[in-house]
Amino acid sequence: MIEEFFKKNRELISRQLEIFLSIKGKELGGVPWGKEVSARLLSFSLGGKMIRGGLVLLAYDVFGGKNKQEAIRAACAVELLESSLLIHDDIIDKDYLRRGERSIFADYGENLGICFGDIGFFLAYEILPHGLREIFSKKSIEVGLGQMQDIYLSFSKKSIDEKDILEVYLYKTASYSCSLPLMMGAALAGRDQKTVLKMEELGKYLGVIFQIKDDELGLFGEEKEIGKAVGGDIREGKKTLYYLYLFERASGADLKRLKDVFGNKKIAKADILYVREMVKKLGVDKEINKKLGFYEKKAERLIGNEKLFKELLGLSLKRKR
Amino acid sequence: MIEEFFKKNRELISRQLEIFLSIKGKELGGVPWGKEVSARLLSFSLGGKMIRGGLVLLAYDVFGGKNKQEAIRAACAVELLESSLLIHDDIIDKDYLRRGERSIFADYGENLGICFGDIGFFLAYEILPHGLREIFSKKSIEVGLGQMQDIYLSFSKKSIDEKDILEVYLYKTASYSCSLPLMMGAALAGRDQKTVLKMEELGKYLGVIFQIKDDELGLFGEEKEIGKAVGGDIREGKKTLYYLYLFERASGADLKRLKDVFGNKKIAKADILYVREMVKKLGVDKEINKKLGFYEKKAERLIGNEKLFKELLGLSLKRKR
C-alpha cells in the first residue's frame, strides 16, 4: 500500500535528517546559534508528513534507481527546502501555528525567522546530491515567484480569475511539492531528459490536485488533523478556487456576508460554518470536483499502468490530512 | 594597482551577471514576476562594488588558476549571495536606502522582499561552479548565524563585551565577505585543503578589518560615498567596537547623552557630530587603530611576500568607501 510506502520512507528520511543535522550541530557548536538552529530545524522538519521526500523515493523506485542512500539525501534536501519555505511563509502570513506546534515565527519573531529559513536553504543545498542542483534551483525559483504572485494577489485590487489562481497553485505549490521530487527521483535513477520532463508535467497535475485538496482541508478539516488553524484561508482572504467560485455564484445578502467574512481576522466559528454551508448550497463543491476530475484525467494519461503512480493519484484525491 | 584590478574585474563580473540574469529573465518570462525579479536583481547587483567577486578572481590569479570563465561564474555566485543577504538585511533593519538607491524593501515591502532574497540565493547556487558547493554552503550558514547573533545582541539585555562584537564581525561579515571568496579562488585554482584553510584564516583578519573600516565609514563617511544613510548604526544602536569603547570610556553627562543618542531613531545631524567628537575626545579612534594594527600584523604573517595580497591589505586599511 502507498500509505505504507510513505510511512516507511518517512522513517528513513527522518534518520538521515537526524544524522545530517546533528553532525551540523556539532560542526557549528562554536558558532553562536549553531546548535540551536540545527536542533530546531531538525525537530521542525521531523514534524512534517514528508510527502515531498517520499515522492523522490517513489519516483526513484519506479524508475529502478539502485543507490537508495543517495535518493534519501535528495529527499532530505527537498524536506529542508520545504521547511525553509514554510518558515518564511509563516512570517509572511503571520502564522503562529504550524505542524501542530508554535511556528518558528511565533517563537523567534520575524527577523530571526528570516535567518532560520535562509540557513535551511543553505543546508538543503549542502545535502543535495550533485547533478540535481539545476533542477532544484529551477523549481525553487518558481516557488519564490509563485509565492510573490500569491502575496500580490492578496493585496491587489485587480479582479482575479481562475487563471490567476491556477498559476499560483502551479508555481507556488506544484513546482516544488510534486514536479521537483518526481523529477529528482527520475534524474537520480538515470532517466533521460524526456522522462524528467514527463515527471515535471505529472507533478503539475498532481500538485494542483494536492493544492485543491489542501484548500478543502483548510475549510472542512479539523485543526488537530491539519496542524494549523481552521479557517485560516478565510481570515487571510486567500484567493482559492473556493473563494473564486463562491463569489461568482453568491448574490444579495449572501454575497454581502461573504465579503464581510473573507479577509476578516476576527471571524467566529459560526462564520466558518456559514462558508461551509454556502460551498454546498451554491454547488461550489460540485464545481471543485469537476476540476479535480479534469486534472485526474490528465494525470491518468501520463501515468498509464504504473502501479505506484496510480496509487499516488488515488491517495492525493482521497487524503484527509 | 589593486584598484585597477577590482575595477577591471567588476566589468567582467557585470557582463557575466547580465548574461546570466537576462537568460533567466527570458526562461522565466512565462512565470509571474519572472522578468521583473531577474531585472531588479541584476540592476541591484550591478550597483555593488563587487569586492567579494573581485576577491574570488584575485585569489584565483594568485594561485595560478587557468579557467577564468569559471572563476567569473564563481564571482557571480558570491555577488548574488551578497545581494540576497543585503535584501534580507534591509528588511531586518528596515533600511530604505541601499547602494545609493531605494532598497528592495522600500520598493516592495517586507513580504515580497523576503521572496526576492530567497530567489537570489537559488540563483547564486545555479551559477556556482560544481565543487564549490560545500565551501559556499558552509560559509553562507555562518553568515546566517552571525546575522542572528547580531539581531539578538541588538535587543538582548545582556552586557556585551568585545568577544561578542568580534564574533559577529567574524561570522556575519568576514565569513562570506573575505574567507569565502578567497577560499573559492584557491579551491577553484586546484590548491589543496591546507591552502584553502589558510585563505579562510586570512579572510578572517581581512574581514574584521573590513568591518571595522565599515563602522568607521558609517560614522565618519558621507552618504553619497557609502550609499546609505550616515549615522544609521547610531540610530539602530548597533553594537560596534566604537559603541563598546565609547560606553566603556564615557562618564557623567557624556555617558547620559550617548545613551540618549544610540538606538534613537530621531537623532539630528548634531548628535552624529557629537558622537564623532566623542570618538576623538575619548581616544576611541586610537584604540580602534590599535585593533586594526593587531589584525594587520596577523594578516601580514599569512601573506608573506605575495604582492597582490599585500596590496589588498593596504587597500582594506585605507579605503574611503
Side-chain angles (χ1 to χ4, degrees):
Chain A
M1 283 305 297
I2 191 130
E3 283 97 336
E4 262 315 302
F5 180 93
F6 279 108
K7 200 175 148 197
K8 197 186 72 196
N9 283 300
R10 183 171 187 264
E11 286 304 310
L12 297 174
I13 299 164
S14 297
R15 293 300 81 74
Q16 184 62 49
L17 279 171
E18 272 164 11
I19 292 168
F20 176 62
L21 286 170
S22 60
I23 290 172
K24 293 312 292 183
K26 273 179 202 130
E27 267 179 37
L28 297 168
V31 187
W33 292 91
K35 265 193 205 319
E36 184 166 342
V37 169
S38 307
R40 181 67 185 251
L41 285 176
L42 175 61
S43 68
F44 183 70
S45 299
L46 293 182
K49 295 190 294 287
M50 302 199 185
I51 296 301
R52 293 161 185 83
L55 284 179
V56 175
L57 296 166
L58 190 136
Y60 192 71
D61 256 28
V62 165
F63 293 115
K66 299 281 179 245
N67 183 351
K68 179 116 182 184
Q69 194 48 36
E70 201 179 18
I72 292 172
R73 291 178 67 86
C76 289
V78 180
E79 288 299 324
L80 285 168
L81 171 69
E82 150 87 340
S83 290
S84 310
L85 290 168
L86 292 179
I87 291 167
H88 282 180
D89 197 56
D90 286 342
I91 295 169
I92 290 167
D93 294 338
K94 310 274 176 275
D95 273 328
Y96 284 82
L97 196 62
R98 174 65 76 174
R99 291 175 172 172
E101 309 273 346
R102 278 172 65 84
S103 68
I104 285 176
F105 164 68
D107 281 340
Y108 292 92
E110 174 184 306
N111 290 345
L112 292 172
I114 291 174
C115 303
F116 257 99
D118 293 352
I119 293 166
F121 291 134
F122 304 141
L123 288 166
Y125 274 100
E126 198 170 328
I127 198 171
L128 184 72
H130 285 286
L132 293 180
R133 199 178 46 166
E134 203 179 322
I135 297 173
F136 196 82
S137 288
K138 190 164 176 277
K139 289 290 147 190
S140 299
I141 290 165
E142 286 183 10
V143 188
L145 296 170
Q147 173 74 286
M148 290 180 80
Q149 183 68 354
D150 194 24
I151 295 167
Y152 171 70
L153 294 180
S154 74
F155 67 71
S156 157
K157 298 273 177 236
K158 98 176 191 74
S159 79
I160 285 161
D161 57 24
E162 193 170 301
K163 180 180 160 286
D164 292 321
I165 292 173
L166 289 173
E167 226 170 30
V168 172
Y169 288 7
L170 205 57
Y171 294 116
K172 183 175 169 181
T173 305
S175 59
Y176 87 101
S177 300
C178 298
S179 292
L180 174 61
L182 294 176
M183 292 166 86
M184 285 169 81
L188 211 52
R191 290 306 169 111
D192 62 6
Q193 185 65 358
K194 203 181 137 196
T195 308
V196 172
L197 290 176
K198 194 175 145 186
M199 286 303 101
E200 183 174 28
E201 197 186 346
L202 177 59
K204 287 179 185 178
Y205 306 139
L206 287 171
V208 172
I209 290 170
F210 181 89
Q211 185 57 54
I212 295 174
K213 292 298 285 185
D214 211 54
D215 297 341
E216 182 191 315
L217 291 169
L219 201 53
F220 291 97
E222 292 306 321
E223 188 168 304
K224 65 176 164 24
E225 287 286 336
I226 61 175
K228 50 189 177 186
V230 174
D233 290 355
I234 301 175
R235 264 184 291 272
E236 281 171 38
K238 205 172 144 193
K239 304 305 190 292
T240 65
L241 287 181
Y242 282 97
Y243 171 95
L244 182 75
Y245 296 159
L246 276 169
F247 279 83
E248 277 176 358
R249 287 155 182 247
S251 61
D254 284 328
L255 183 59
K256 194 177 167 307
R257 182 163 177 191
L258 286 174
K259 279 184 182 167
D260 283 347
V261 165
F262 274 85
N264 184 343
K265 305 276 176 210
K266 291 173 182 162
I267 54 169
K269 188 71 200 272
D271 295 313
I272 297 172
L273 295 178
Y274 169 75
V275 173
R276 289 180 183 174
E277 190 196 309
M278 290 305 290
V279 164
K280 283 173 187 164
K281 191 174 143 199
L282 297 175
V284 167
D285 50 354
K286 289 203 185 67
E287 186 75 18
I288 294 278
N289 281 333
K290 244 168 69 184
K291 210 81 224 171
L292 285 170
F294 172 80
Y295 287 105
E296 184 184 3
K297 287 255 155 7
K298 291 228 173 209
E300 274 172 347
R301 251 202 308 268
L302 281 176
I303 287 172
N305 280 319
E306 187 48 62
K307 191 173 155 295
L308 270 171
F309 284 152
K310 275 167 105 167
E311 283 190 42
L312 174 66
L313 177 60
L315 180 70
S316 70
L317 284 159
K318 67 172 217 274
R319 75 187 177 100
K320 292 270 175 253
R321 39 171 290 191
Chain B
M1 283 305 296
I2 191 130
E3 284 96 337
E4 263 315 301
F5 180 93
F6 280 109
K7 200 175 147 198
K8 198 187 71 196
N9 283 301
R10 183 171 187 265
E11 285 304 310
L12 297 175
I13 300 164
S14 298
R15 292 301 82 73
Q16 185 62 49
L17 279 171
E18 271 164 11
I19 293 168
F20 176 62
L21 286 170
S22 61
I23 291 173
K24 292 312 292 183
K26 274 180 201 129
E27 267 178 37
L28 297 168
V31 187
W33 293 90
K35 265 194 204 322
E36 185 167 343
V37 170
S38 308
R40 181 68 186 249
L41 285 176
L42 176 61
S43 68
F44 183 70
S45 299
L46 293 182
K49 296 189 294 286
M50 303 199 185
I51 297 301
R52 293 161 185 82
L55 285 179
V56 175
L57 296 166
L58 189 135
Y60 193 72
D61 257 27
V62 165
F63 293 115
K66 298 280 178 244
N67 183 351
K68 179 113 181 187
Q69 194 48 36
E70 201 180 19
I72 292 172
R73 291 177 67 86
C76 290
V78 180
E79 288 299 325
L80 285 168
L81 171 68
E82 150 87 340
S83 291
S84 309
L85 290 168
L86 293 179
I87 292 167
H88 282 180
D89 197 56
D90 286 342
I91 295 170
I92 290 168
D93 295 339
K94 310 275 175 275
D95 273 329
Y96 283 82
L97 195 62
R98 174 64 77 173
R99 291 175 171 172
E101 310 274 344
R102 279 172 65 84
S103 67
I104 286 176
F105 165 67
D107 281 340
Y108 293 92
E110 174 184 306
N111 290 345
L112 292 173
I114 291 174
C115 304
F116 257 99
D118 292 352
I119 293 166
F121 292 133
F122 304 141
L123 288 166
Y125 275 99
E126 198 169 328
I127 199 171
L128 183 73
H130 285 287
L132 294 179
R133 199 179 46 165
E134 204 179 321
I135 297 173
F136 196 82
S137 289
K138 190 164 174 278
K139 290 289 146 190
S140 300
I141 290 165
E142 286 183 9
V143 188
L145 297 170
Q147 173 75 284
M148 290 179 80
Q149 183 68 353
D150 194 25
I151 295 166
Y152 170 71
L153 294 179
S154 75
F155 66 71
S156 157
K157 299 274 176 232
K158 99 178 188 73
S159 79
I160 285 161
D161 57 24
E162 193 171 300
K163 181 180 161 285
D164 291 321
I165 292 173
L166 288 173
E167 226 170 32
V168 171
Y169 287 7
L170 205 57
Y171 293 117
K172 183 175 168 180
T173 304
S175 59
Y176 87 101
S177 299
C178 299
S179 292
L180 175 61
L182 295 176
M183 291 166 86
M184 286 168 81
L188 212 52
R191 290 307 167 110
D192 62 7
Q193 184 66 359
K194 203 181 136 197
T195 308
V196 172
L197 290 176
K198 195 175 144 186
M199 287 301 102
E200 183 175 28
E201 197 186 345
L202 176 60
K204 287 180 185 178
Y205 306 138
L206 288 170
V208 171
I209 291 170
F210 181 89
Q211 185 56 55
I212 294 174
K213 292 298 284 185
D214 212 54
D215 296 340
E216 182 191 314
L217 291 168
L219 201 52
F220 290 96
E222 292 306 321
E223 186 169 306
K224 64 175 166 21
E225 287 286 335
I226 60 174
K228 51 189 176 184
V230 173
D233 291 355
I234 301 175
R235 264 184 290 274
E236 281 171 38
K238 204 172 146 193
K239 304 303 189 291
T240 66
L241 287 181
Y242 282 97
Y243 171 95
L244 183 75
Y245 296 159
L246 277 170
F247 279 83
E248 277 176 358
R249 288 156 181 247
S251 61
D254 284 329
L255 183 59
K256 193 177 166 307
R257 183 163 175 191
L258 287 174
K259 279 184 183 167
D260 282 348
V261 165
F262 275 86
N264 184 344
K265 305 276 176 210
K266 290 173 183 163
I267 54 170
K269 188 73 199 273
D271 295 312
I272 297 171
L273 295 177
Y274 169 74
V275 173
R276 288 181 183 175
E277 192 196 309
M278 290 305 290
V279 163
K280 284 174 186 162
K281 191 175 144 200
L282 297 175
V284 167
D285 50 355
K286 289 202 186 67
E287 185 75 19
I288 293 277
N289 281 334
K290 244 168 71 184
K291 210 80 226 169
L292 286 171
F294 172 80
Y295 288 106
E296 185 185 2
K297 287 256 155 3
K298 291 227 172 210
E300 275 171 348
R301 250 201 310 268
L302 281 176
I303 287 173
N305 280 318
E306 187 48 61
K307 189 174 157 296
L308 270 172
F309 284 152
K310 276 166 105 167
E311 284 190 41
L312 174 66
L313 177 60
L315 180 70
S316 70
L317 284 159
K318 67 171 217 272
R319 74 188 179 99
K320 293 269 174 256
R321 37 173 290 191

